[in-house]
Amino acid sequence: MRVLAITPNVAIDRTLDVPGFAAGAVWRARSASVVCGGKGINVARAVIALGHTATCAGLVGGHGGRLATEAAAAEGLQSAWTPIAGESRTCVIVVSGGEATVINEPGPAVAADEWARFVADVSRAAATADAVCLSGSMPGKIAGMAIVDLVRAAARHGAPVWVDCSGEALATASAARPFGIKVNADEAGALLARPITGWQQAAAAAATMVADGVSVATVTLGAEGAALACGAGTWIARPPRLRAVSAVGSGDAFLAGLMIGWGHGDRPDAALRLATAAGAANALQATARIDSADVTRLGAETEVFGPVRAG
Amino acid sequence: MRVLAITPNVAIDRTLDVPGFAAGAVWRARSASVVCGGKGINVARAVIALGHTATCAGLVGGHGGRLATEAAAAEGLQSAWTPIAGESRTCVIVVSGGEATVINEPGPAVAADEWARFVADVSRAAATADAVCLSGSMPGKIAGMAIVDLVRAAARHGAPVWVDCSGEALATASAARPFGIKVNADEAGALLARPITGWQQAAAAAATMVADGVSVATVTLGAEGAALACGAGTWIARPPRLRAVSAVGSGDAFLAGLMIGWGHGDRPDAALRLATAAGAANALQATARIDSADVTRLGAETEVFGPVRAG
């Protein structure tokens, strides 16, 4: 399978090792590592780890953008970047003992003509994709309807488009009726304006999104698992208990597994199982990475129930 | 006066506004601002604010280095950078309410031939300087004696060389007998292997450094003030009580005032007064900046005592 993973707000991820870190005072990082960052980049890495092909698309600009794209090329990621004048943002991940502190910057301003070029680039790259995902935040201030153009451009050649974003961007992207939505409980709660704290509510939320016009909706609940709804019904999955090292990137690995499972024509429960196992496998690593052997093992240990009655 | 301000480990300073920041969890910065960073850069800004001329020297590399040098040029800083292959580091300053959390990265590796070019560049730039300062950390791992070459190159044309660094770099730089040393109480304590917690100990430490071969030594005590020792004796200064906003950069402003006061041929007590007032003026600002009107006012309110009997 060939996946096009779109990250509008590409970042440099700087991971700093700072023993004993706390807020306040001056700290000296023991080491710093730099990779190309953003949710779609994590999805692309997970797609590749699962044995498939991924191309990264996104807006990149300035010296930060060049650093990010060079880092992506150095680790072998295929790409179809769209250059902009603004400086790509930096995300800081401070690792101290087993705990991570993440600080995400808002990202650069994007001009209307830059966004138009991005939409055209995505449309072109989507022509050879079997699935497309749109992940993470929008840089600077993007006029609400601009995301609709992006979702439509991604879908133009018929590949299913999956959306994983939050807040206003999620609301607007949902209005463009993408094929699928992958959100966590907080994001789903904000979208539907109701609290989502357990399986039953997650399943109902996913079913509501399908009733509202998307083909597949998933709502993740962290270590508790996830719910998936589609025309055939609603399923819930529970991964085995595991010793999580870092959940950063687990949602992105989940989406990679979901796109691949769905693209293979698996039954909904099999796609949800692969997605849940990929998300769980990511939690075993300190950074956003998965090991396919972990996915296979955790998939066998994941419990999937359904179709269930939601709501 | 023309000051050459050397920052071996030039940085990008990213200041992030993160309301309610604490360690752990995922945060979204409300805004991010980027400037060229490093202690010598702060010194240069303070020299200019005091009405004099400054040139910045330092090792800069990669995309980060280009971003840092463009930011320096954009704010009008004169420079004589030395390019290296490694990536310049990023320093993160998280501002939350009135509190700052600073995380400094170690910096890139420097090859022997790059260091040799740096020493030659500094020697050339020092030819037109009335004073030279060497501030902050060394990038990567620099062989101990390399700093001696740098101090000697800076002093080759006769301008006084002032050193403000810490740890092993301070010990080695001191062994090269610079004209002056500016350190805080912690750094002086580490150099002399004894605790320095008050004026008497700070004055004694400064006098010890002069006895060990430098012409002028100052030890700063934060809001409490500073001590200065030279051949003519030892003085102590106490700034007025003020509502400090951020002390980040106060030591660098102190050094700028000290070099200018000393270069004017002022008496030691007058140079110490200007240095103390510049450091205090910096504490009134959220970032490392001074307002010359504040310096004048705080200078008049600063108490200077001496010559005192030290030790």
Side-chain angles (χ1 to χ4, degrees), chain A residues 14 24 27 29 63 101-102 104-105, chain B residues 14 24 27 29 101-102 104-105:
Chain A
R14 298 191 86 90
W27 301 87
H63 300 295
T101 306
V102 179
N104 293 324
E105 293 183 0
Chain B
R14 299 191 85 90
W27 301 87
T101 306
V102 179
N104 293 324
E105 292 183 1

Side-chain angles (χ1 to χ4, degrees), chain A residues 17-251:
Chain A
D17 178 19
V18 186
F21 181 69
V26 177
W27 301 87
R28 202 173 286 271
R30 204 155 52 173
S31 68
S33 75
V34 175
V35 298
C36 183
K39 289 174 70 65
I41 314 295
N42 294 340
V43 174
R45 285 193 190 104
V47 165
I48 293 166
L50 291 169
H52 296 265
T53 303
T55 298
C56 302
L59 296 160
V60 292
H63 300 295
R66 282 185 280 281
L67 178 57
T69 56
E70 277 185 17
E75 65 169 297
L77 293 172
Q78 291 178 38
S79 58
W81 308 118
T82 300
I84 58 172
E87 273 286 332
S88 289
R89 67 194 174 127
T90 292
C91 295
V92 176
I93 302 117
V94 182
V95 177
S96 175
E99 192 185 53
T101 306
V102 179
I103 313 171
N104 293 324
E105 293 183 0
V110 180
D113 64 316
E114 292 173 332
W115 187 264
R117 226 171 339 103
F118 181 40
V119 168
D121 288 347
V122 161
S123 174
R124 197 172 312 114
T128 56
D130 301 310
V132 181
C133 65
L134 171 58
S135 296
S137 68
M138 299 297 133
K141 291 234 170 292
I142 302 297
M145 287 305 291
I147 298 166
V148 172
D149 292 339
L150 187 62
V151 172
R152 288 184 182 149
R156 187 160 305 153
H157 301 280
V161 176
W162 301 81
V163 166
D164 176 9
C165 47
S166 61
E168 205 179 302
L170 173 61
T172 317
S174 300
R177 301 280 177 273
F179 178 81
I181 287 181
K182 181 266 144 202
V183 285
N184 64 32
D186 286 347
E187 292 158 347
L191 180 68
L192 301 177
R194 63 193 198 219
I196 293 168
T197 54
W199 280 2
Q200 204 144 18
Q201 290 161 326
T208 299
M209 287 183 243
V210 170
D212 285 351
V214 303
S215 297
V216 184
T218 62
V219 177
T220 58
L221 291 161
E224 297 302 308
L228 179 151
C230 62
T234 300
W235 281 262
I236 53 181
R238 193 171 62 181
R241 293 273 154 217
L242 45 84
R243 191 180 291 268
V245 176
S246 165
V248 174
S250 277

